Amino acid sequence: MRLGRALTAAVAVTALAGCGGDDDPAGEQTTAPAAELDVALDAQLGVGAPTGPEYPPGTSGLVADYTVTNNADVPVLVVQRRPADITPEVDVPLPDTDESSWVYADDAGQILVTKEVFATTGGDTGTAYRAPAVRLEPGETVTGRAFALTPLRRIAPDSGTFEVPGPSTLPDDATSWSFCVQVAPDPGETGEPTMADHTPDRRLVCSTPADLPPDALGAGS
């Protein structure tokens, strides 16, 4: 990922969806409203090859080249890649690179290629699950790339531990896909930036949908 400072706020999409705020178990108490973040995603969706030597020659898939801009007045975290330690085993190798992404479908049947940390199903598990992240100061931008191997496989963490939206398989009749990246206000933790499953006010910023290319779905989805 490359960091820079935005001189102009040219953005394509700012779509924020709730994704992992902490619920108050005391039903009569009210929780503070989620922080409003002015964070924008500009993404170019297409088909291409992954970068680097981790994949064999001839590999291709869905590609998102994107820029995230922090237009807020507070620092934010942006997830950099899929966490390797909770990535499942599928029928093909899944190298751990900055392009590593989750692949699943939402409730409407659209394919999502994402970089995020999911909430856990049972509340506090005693383990902090984290994804590498980038810290953006107000006015800064970061560029990145996401890759999803085709034919697409559903790549999501264990459903017994994490809350993953949508069906347990990719729908055969899916016709579109989007790229989404998770952002949150920087809580000010020490050390290398990471997004944790307990980081407050996490949000997904998603691109405008694009058509799935022919034969993007196949065996293993």
Short mmCIF file of all heavy atoms in Angstrom, two decimals, residues 13-44:
data_model
loop_
_atom_site.label_atom_id
_atom_site.label_comp_id
_atom_site.label_asym_id
_atom_site.label_seq_id
_atom_site.Cartn_x
_atom_site.Cartn_y
_atom_site.Cartn_z
N VAL A 13 -17.13 6.87 -4.23
CA VAL A 13 -18.16 6.24 -3.43
C VAL A 13 -17.86 6.47 -1.96
O VAL A 13 -16.71 6.38 -1.54
CB VAL A 13 -18.21 4.72 -3.70
CG1 VAL A 13 -19.24 4.05 -2.80
CG2 VAL A 13 -18.55 4.45 -5.15
N THR A 14 -18.86 6.78 -1.17
CA THR A 14 -18.73 6.77 0.28
C THR A 14 -19.94 6.03 0.82
O THR A 14 -20.96 6.63 1.09
CB THR A 14 -18.67 8.19 0.86
OG1 THR A 14 -17.67 8.93 0.18
CG2 THR A 14 -18.34 8.15 2.34
N ALA A 15 -19.83 4.70 0.95
CA ALA A 15 -20.96 3.88 1.39
C ALA A 15 -20.57 3.19 2.67
O ALA A 15 -19.76 2.28 2.66
CB ALA A 15 -21.32 2.84 0.32
N LEU A 16 -21.13 3.62 3.80
CA LEU A 16 -20.75 3.07 5.09
C LEU A 16 -21.86 2.17 5.59
O LEU A 16 -23.02 2.55 5.61
CB LEU A 16 -20.50 4.19 6.10
CG LEU A 16 -19.36 5.16 5.75
CD1 LEU A 16 -19.16 6.14 6.88
CD2 LEU A 16 -18.07 4.41 5.47
N ALA A 17 -21.49 0.96 6.03
CA ALA A 17 -22.45 0.02 6.59
C ALA A 17 -21.96 -0.45 7.93
O ALA A 17 -20.78 -0.75 8.08
CB ALA A 17 -22.63 -1.18 5.66
N GLY A 18 -22.84 -0.54 8.93
CA GLY A 18 -22.45 -0.99 10.26
C GLY A 18 -21.85 -2.38 10.20
O GLY A 18 -22.34 -3.25 9.49
N CYS A 19 -20.78 -2.58 10.98
CA CYS A 19 -20.08 -3.85 10.85
C CYS A 19 -19.26 -4.13 12.08
O CYS A 19 -18.05 -4.08 12.06
CB CYS A 19 -19.18 -3.79 9.62
SG CYS A 19 -18.11 -5.18 9.40
N GLY A 20 -19.91 -4.43 13.19
CA GLY A 20 -19.12 -4.90 14.30
C GLY A 20 -19.02 -3.96 15.47
O GLY A 20 -18.05 -4.02 16.21
N GLY A 21 -19.98 -3.08 15.69
CA GLY A 21 -19.96 -2.29 16.90
C GLY A 21 -20.32 -3.15 18.09
O GLY A 21 -21.01 -4.16 17.96
N ASP A 22 -19.90 -2.79 19.29
CA ASP A 22 -20.19 -3.57 20.47
C ASP A 22 -21.60 -3.27 20.96
O ASP A 22 -22.00 -2.12 21.11
CB ASP A 22 -19.19 -3.24 21.59
CG ASP A 22 -17.80 -3.69 21.24
OD1 ASP A 22 -17.68 -4.65 20.46
OD2 ASP A 22 -16.82 -3.08 21.73
N ASP A 23 -22.38 -4.33 21.23
CA ASP A 23 -23.72 -4.17 21.76
C ASP A 23 -23.68 -4.15 23.28
O ASP A 23 -22.91 -4.88 23.90
CB ASP A 23 -24.63 -5.32 21.30
CG ASP A 23 -24.87 -5.27 19.81
OD1 ASP A 23 -24.87 -4.16 19.26
OD2 ASP A 23 -25.04 -6.35 19.20
N ASP A 24 -24.54 -3.34 23.91
CA ASP A 24 -24.62 -3.27 25.36
C ASP A 24 -25.56 -4.36 25.84
O ASP A 24 -26.73 -4.37 25.46
CB ASP A 24 -25.14 -1.89 25.76
CG ASP A 24 -25.00 -1.65 27.25
OD1 ASP A 24 -24.97 -2.64 28.01
OD2 ASP A 24 -24.93 -0.47 27.65
N PRO A 25 -25.09 -5.31 26.66
CA PRO A 25 -25.97 -6.40 27.10
C PRO A 25 -27.09 -5.92 27.99
O PRO A 25 -28.08 -6.61 28.16
CB PRO A 25 -25.01 -7.33 27.85
CG PRO A 25 -23.87 -6.46 28.28
CD PRO A 25 -23.73 -5.42 27.19
N ALA A 26 -26.97 -4.75 28.61
CA ALA A 26 -28.05 -4.24 29.45
C ALA A 26 -29.08 -3.57 28.56
O ALA A 26 -28.87 -2.49 28.04
CB ALA A 26 -27.48 -3.23 30.46
N GLY A 27 -30.22 -4.22 28.39
CA GLY A 27 -31.18 -3.81 27.38
C GLY A 27 -31.72 -2.41 27.57
O GLY A 27 -32.10 -1.76 26.61
N GLU A 28 -31.79 -1.90 28.81
CA GLU A 28 -32.41 -0.61 29.03
C GLU A 28 -31.43 0.54 28.88
O GLU A 28 -31.82 1.69 28.92
CB GLU A 28 -33.04 -0.58 30.42
CG GLU A 28 -34.19 -1.58 30.57
CD GLU A 28 -34.85 -1.47 31.93
OE1 GLU A 28 -34.37 -0.66 32.75
OE2 GLU A 28 -35.82 -2.19 32.17
N GLN A 29 -30.16 0.24 28.75
CA GLN A 29 -29.18 1.30 28.59
C GLN A 29 -29.04 1.64 27.11
O GLN A 29 -29.22 0.79 26.25
CB GLN A 29 -27.83 0.87 29.16
CG GLN A 29 -27.86 0.63 30.66
CD GLN A 29 -26.48 0.29 31.19
OE1 GLN A 29 -25.51 0.34 30.45
NE2 GLN A 29 -26.41 -0.06 32.45
N THR A 30 -28.74 2.87 26.82
CA THR A 30 -28.53 3.28 25.44
C THR A 30 -27.04 3.38 25.18
O THR A 30 -26.26 3.78 26.04
CB THR A 30 -29.19 4.64 25.18
OG1 THR A 30 -28.64 5.61 26.07
CG2 THR A 30 -30.69 4.55 25.37
N THR A 31 -26.64 3.01 23.97
CA THR A 31 -25.24 3.07 23.59
C THR A 31 -24.98 4.35 22.82
O THR A 31 -25.87 4.93 22.20
CB THR A 31 -24.86 1.87 22.71
OG1 THR A 31 -25.71 1.85 21.56
CG2 THR A 31 -25.03 0.57 23.48
N ALA A 32 -23.74 4.79 22.86
CA ALA A 32 -23.37 6.00 22.12
C ALA A 32 -23.50 5.75 20.63
O ALA A 32 -23.25 4.63 20.15
CB ALA A 32 -21.93 6.39 22.46
N PRO A 33 -23.93 6.74 19.86
CA PRO A 33 -24.05 6.54 18.41
C PRO A 33 -22.69 6.28 17.78
O PRO A 33 -21.66 6.73 18.27
CB PRO A 33 -24.64 7.87 17.93
CG PRO A 33 -24.27 8.86 18.98
CD PRO A 33 -24.27 8.10 20.27
N ALA A 34 -22.70 5.51 16.70
CA ALA A 34 -21.46 5.20 16.00
C ALA A 34 -20.84 6.49 15.47
O ALA A 34 -21.52 7.43 15.08
CB ALA A 34 -21.74 4.25 14.84
N ALA A 35 -19.51 6.50 15.47
CA ALA A 35 -18.80 7.68 14.98
C ALA A 35 -19.06 7.87 13.50
O ALA A 35 -19.08 6.91 12.73
CB ALA A 35 -17.30 7.53 15.24
N GLU A 36 -19.28 9.12 13.10
CA GLU A 36 -19.46 9.44 11.69
C GLU A 36 -18.08 9.63 11.06
O GLU A 36 -17.31 10.47 11.50
CB GLU A 36 -20.30 10.70 11.54
CG GLU A 36 -21.74 10.54 12.00
CD GLU A 36 -22.53 9.60 11.11
OE1 GLU A 36 -22.16 9.46 9.93
OE2 GLU A 36 -23.50 9.01 11.58
N LEU A 37 -17.80 8.83 10.04
CA LEU A 37 -16.51 8.91 9.37
C LEU A 37 -16.70 9.35 7.94
O LEU A 37 -17.48 8.76 7.20
CB LEU A 37 -15.80 7.55 9.39
CG LEU A 37 -15.24 7.06 10.71
CD1 LEU A 37 -14.53 5.73 10.50
CD2 LEU A 37 -14.29 8.07 11.31
N ASP A 38 -15.99 10.38 7.55
CA ASP A 38 -16.00 10.83 6.16
C ASP A 38 -14.79 10.18 5.48
O ASP A 38 -13.72 10.77 5.37
CB ASP A 38 -15.92 12.35 6.10
CG ASP A 38 -16.08 12.88 4.68
OD1 ASP A 38 -16.26 12.06 3.76
OD2 ASP A 38 -16.01 14.11 4.49
N VAL A 39 -14.98 8.92 5.09
CA VAL A 39 -13.93 8.14 4.45
C VAL A 39 -14.46 7.66 3.11
O VAL A 39 -15.57 7.14 3.03
CB VAL A 39 -13.51 6.94 5.32
CG1 VAL A 39 -12.47 6.09 4.61
CG2 VAL A 39 -12.98 7.41 6.66
N ALA A 40 -13.70 7.86 2.05
CA ALA A 40 -14.18 7.58 0.70
C ALA A 40 -13.32 6.54 0.01
O ALA A 40 -12.10 6.46 0.23
CB ALA A 40 -14.21 8.86 -0.12
N LEU A 41 -13.97 5.75 -0.82
CA LEU A 41 -13.30 4.71 -1.61
C LEU A 41 -13.49 4.99 -3.09
O LEU A 41 -14.61 5.20 -3.56
CB LEU A 41 -13.91 3.34 -1.26
CG LEU A 41 -13.48 2.16 -2.14
CD1 LEU A 41 -12.01 1.83 -1.93
CD2 LEU A 41 -14.35 0.94 -1.85
N ASP A 42 -12.39 4.99 -3.82
CA ASP A 42 -12.41 5.09 -5.28
C ASP A 42 -11.79 3.80 -5.80
O ASP A 42 -10.59 3.56 -5.59
CB ASP A 42 -11.61 6.31 -5.74
CG ASP A 42 -11.69 6.54 -7.24
OD1 ASP A 42 -12.27 5.69 -7.94
OD2 ASP A 42 -11.16 7.56 -7.71
N ALA A 43 -12.59 2.94 -6.44
CA ALA A 43 -12.11 1.61 -6.84
C ALA A 43 -12.38 1.37 -8.32
O ALA A 43 -13.44 1.71 -8.84
CB ALA A 43 -12.79 0.53 -6.01
N GLN A 44 -11.40 0.76 -8.97
CA GLN A 44 -11.53 0.32 -10.35
C GLN A 44 -11.59 -1.21 -10.35
O GLN A 44 -10.62 -1.87 -9.96
CB GLN A 44 -10.33 0.80 -11.18
CG GLN A 44 -10.15 2.31 -11.18
CD GLN A 44 -11.30 3.04 -11.83
OE1 GLN A 44 -11.84 2.59 -12.85
NE2 GLN A 44 -11.71 4.16 -11.25
#
